[in-house]
Amino acid sequence: MKYKSTRDFRVSVTSAEAIVKGLSEDGGLFLPESIPSVDIAPLVNLSYRERAKAVFSYFLTDFTADEIADAVDKAYTKESFGTEQIAPLRKLDESRYVLELWHGPTCAFKDMALQILPHLLTTAAKKTGMDKEIVILVATSGDTGKAALDGFADVAGTKIIVFYPQNGVSRIQKLQMCTQRGENVYVAAVDGNFDDAQSGVKAIFTDKAYGMRLSEAQYVLSSANSINWGRLLPQIVYYISAYCDMVRTGEIRCGEAVNVCVPTGNFGNILAAYYAKRMSLPIKKLICASNRNKVLTDFFASGTYDKNRDFYTTVSPSMDILISSNLERLLYLLTDGMSGEVAEYMKSLSKNGKYTVSKALHERIKAEFAGGYNDDEECKKTISETAAKYGYIIDTHTAVAMGVYTSYASAAQDDTKTIIASTANPFKFNEAVLSALCGDAATQGKDEFEMIDALSEKFSLDVPQPLRELKTLPVRFDDTFEKGAMRSAVSGFLGI
Ligand SMILES: *Cc1c(COP(=O)(O)O)cnc(C)c1O
């Protein structure tokens, strides 16, 4: 199976090339030229890993079965995820099934893709004849950096360098990164904000002379960006796996439709669910939940995507996004591969910050998706109500999804069983969760570790090991660089 670009239908590359390149030269995103149908019944009694191998083999047709098995077996271990189920499904009532995607080493759903991407990437590089060492460069506002570090740590043939804004991450996030183990990792602060770190990384990527220097030293730069097909594909697996779990436990019969509700930022996670649907997984409605940055809710309602608006920081920071990059793939899929139409929309987005889709496309989107949003107050209310009703503590991102689902279900009179994606462990967003459950006073004067302890004691919850051990792990990295000195930081680490 070949891969094409959302902006130019003439592009045709293998899956290995799509993963190594990340982004097409025309600026478009890679996607498979056709979508295979998955046969659910044979997967029902298999483990998560075996289901993953089956789904991967549909799309990575230029990989051997051994290469796929090797990547999957290395990534999805009980050791890394704390459970053989990898992504367990928890039933709250007859319609709510929470898909816990945060059992990985960094306690958030990015692990589901970033634990396997390094293995896919190194295998893909070999297949395309690339013999240089891959250097992953990341600018992070917190969560992605740690998940990438953990995924690439000690993966042969790779090095990873993460830059974070000096004062732009929480104490826990900083500790998570600066205590990272691994001989091939490097972490540094940038004296600036996230945009400074991001621009610095972009400048290094586009510096041709520096690229040559790296190449002579047998290095090549790459990114672990969320628009890489190698990050999207692993996310399709858990929707299929959750459905299989529901069939296996008798919650549904094979073929019965379910809904999926996803707390959304960059549109990667929910797009993976849409792919699962196109592979003929019986999904009725895809419910796209946003926080106060509700650019997607407005888009579904009006057909106009408009990022010209105020940006809000919320208690669900991983969804504070105004450009949902992966939406481009959806537009392509729903226009039946009219790459010209998508290219026009994207041109308008970069020129005017907005675009309006055709009436036909808007109708198709509305048939598949429902959109809704919750602000911080509603989110916190959902956390406390969910705790009271089900004795189950959810994080702020999951709460946005839960709240939007509840409104959707009553407005649409839809009692279809629904898989609600839970994207972070509640301990990771301890301050907002604790204040939602115990009031603002409970957080006052406490640092993050004290809030974690308070949550744990009050609700008799085990603090996840990766967060618990943070207090005692040695800090390995404490360098800070001026914005203009990021390149020399890279050179220093690589010894060139
Ligand atoms: C990244 C992230 C999201 C948003 O996922 P997208 O794929 O970008 O839509 C939601 N919740 C958490 C906790 C995240 O880390």
Side-chain angles (χ1 to χ4, degrees), residues 25-326:
E25 269 143 43
D26 50 71
L29 278 54
F30 289 117
L31 32 64
E33 63 187 354
S34 61
I35 304 177
S37 268
V38 57
D39 193 1
I40 301 291
L43 303 182
V44 166
N45 289 313
L46 300 184
S47 66
Y48 189 89
R49 282 188 292 276
E50 298 311 310
R51 290 169 185 165
K53 289 170 197 171
V55 174
F56 278 52
S57 66
Y58 284 116
F59 289 100
L60 305 179
T61 49
D62 51 329
F63 284 55
T64 65
D66 280 349
E67 286 167 340
I68 291 173
D70 185 55
V72 168
D73 290 339
K74 278 184 179 146
Y76 299 119
T77 61
K78 183 170 180 206
E79 193 194 5
S80 294
F81 285 82
T83 158
E84 275 297 344
Q85 291 174 286
I86 308 299
L89 190 67
R90 180 173 173 129
K91 179 180 180 178
L92 295 187
D93 60 24
E94 283 311 312
S95 59
R96 290 172 175 77
Y97 294 76
V98 179
L99 177 56
E100 296 180 344
L101 300 173
W102 39 258
H103 290 270
T106 78
C107 303
F109 103 97
K110 304 271 187 307
D111 290 330
M112 297 302 301
L114 280 165
Q115 284 295 307
I116 194 161
L117 179 69
H119 305 296
L120 297 178
L121 187 60
T122 48
T123 307
K126 268 191 220 121
K127 301 182 83 65
T128 58
M130 229 242 326
D131 51 4
K132 298 190 170 52
E133 184 156 19
I134 300 170
V135 180
I136 303 290
L137 266 194
V138 182
T140 183
S141 54
D143 287 343
T144 303
K146 175 60 186 179
L149 282 166
D150 211 290
F152 280 93
D154 289 333
V155 172
T158 72
K159 286 194 162 53
I160 175 163
I161 303 173
V162 171
F163 291 104
Y164 68 91
Q166 166 91 301
N167 295 313
V169 300
S170 75
R171 178 166 168 230
I172 295 248
Q173 286 176 323
K174 184 170 169 172
L175 273 176
Q176 278 193 307
M177 291 189 276
C178 294
T179 57
Q180 177 65 47
R181 65 180 177 87
E183 291 311 308
N184 62 339
V185 310
Y186 182 65
V187 177
V190 176
D191 189 11
N193 59 25
F194 173 66
D195 285 336
D196 296 322
Q198 174 108 304
S199 318
V201 162
K202 274 196 187 144
I204 296 171
F205 269 111
T206 49
D207 185 336
K208 287 222 169 76
Y210 190 61
M212 295 280 281
R213 221 175 107 195
L214 287 169
S215 178
E216 279 160 19
Q218 300 302 311
Y219 290 119
V220 59
L221 293 178
S222 184
S223 85
N225 206 291
S226 78
I227 51 188
N228 192 311
W229 177 254
R231 274 191 63 178
L232 196 70
L233 175 57
Q235 301 182 349
I236 300 174
V237 175
Y238 47 73
Y239 291 108
I240 294 175
S241 180
Y243 188 90
C244 289
D245 283 343
M246 290 173 82
V247 174
R248 198 182 36 141
T249 54
E251 297 297 328
I252 52 173
R253 15 170 210 88
C254 198
E256 186 176 336
V258 298
N259 292 327
V260 173
C261 179
V262 184
T264 298
N266 213 10
F267 208 74
N269 202 359
I270 194 165
L271 183 71
Y274 178 67
Y275 261 100
K277 178 171 184 179
R278 289 283 291 257
M279 292 175 75
S280 69
L281 191 74
I283 296 175
K284 189 165 103 182
K285 209 73 176 180
L286 292 138
I287 304 155
C288 177
S290 301
N291 63 23
R292 197 175 169 203
N293 296 297
K294 60 181 182 67
V295 61
L296 286 166
T297 312
D298 294 344
F299 172 59
F300 292 136
S302 69
T304 296
Y305 192 97
D306 188 353
K307 75 166 182 84
N308 304 307
R309 59 178 70 215
D310 289 337
F311 173 84
Y312 301 106
T313 33
T314 73
V315 294
S316 46
S318 304
M319 297 159 70
D320 291 345
I321 284 179
L322 291 180
I323 298 188
S324 301
S325 316
N326 264 303

Side-chain angles (χ1 to χ4, degrees), residues 3-9 11 13 17-18 21-31 225 227-229 325-329 332 339 342-344 346-347:
Y3 285 66
K4 37 191 192 174
S5 159
T6 49
R7 296 191 199 176
D8 185 349
F9 68 89
V11 169
V13 300
E17 287 169 320
K21 288 181 184 200
L23 195 67
S24 180
E25 269 143 43
D26 50 71
L29 278 54
F30 289 117
L31 32 64
N225 206 291
I227 51 188
N228 192 311
W229 177 254
S325 316
N326 264 303
L327 188 60
E328 181 171 346
R329 284 195 172 105
Y332 185 89
S339 57
V342 176
E344 283 304 313
M346 292 305 123
K347 222 195 290 168

Side-chain angles (χ1 to χ4, degrees), residues 412-424:
Q413 301 261 308
D414 183 356
D415 63 358
T416 308
K417 292 181 191 301
T418 298
I419 296 169
I420 299 171
S422 176
T423 50

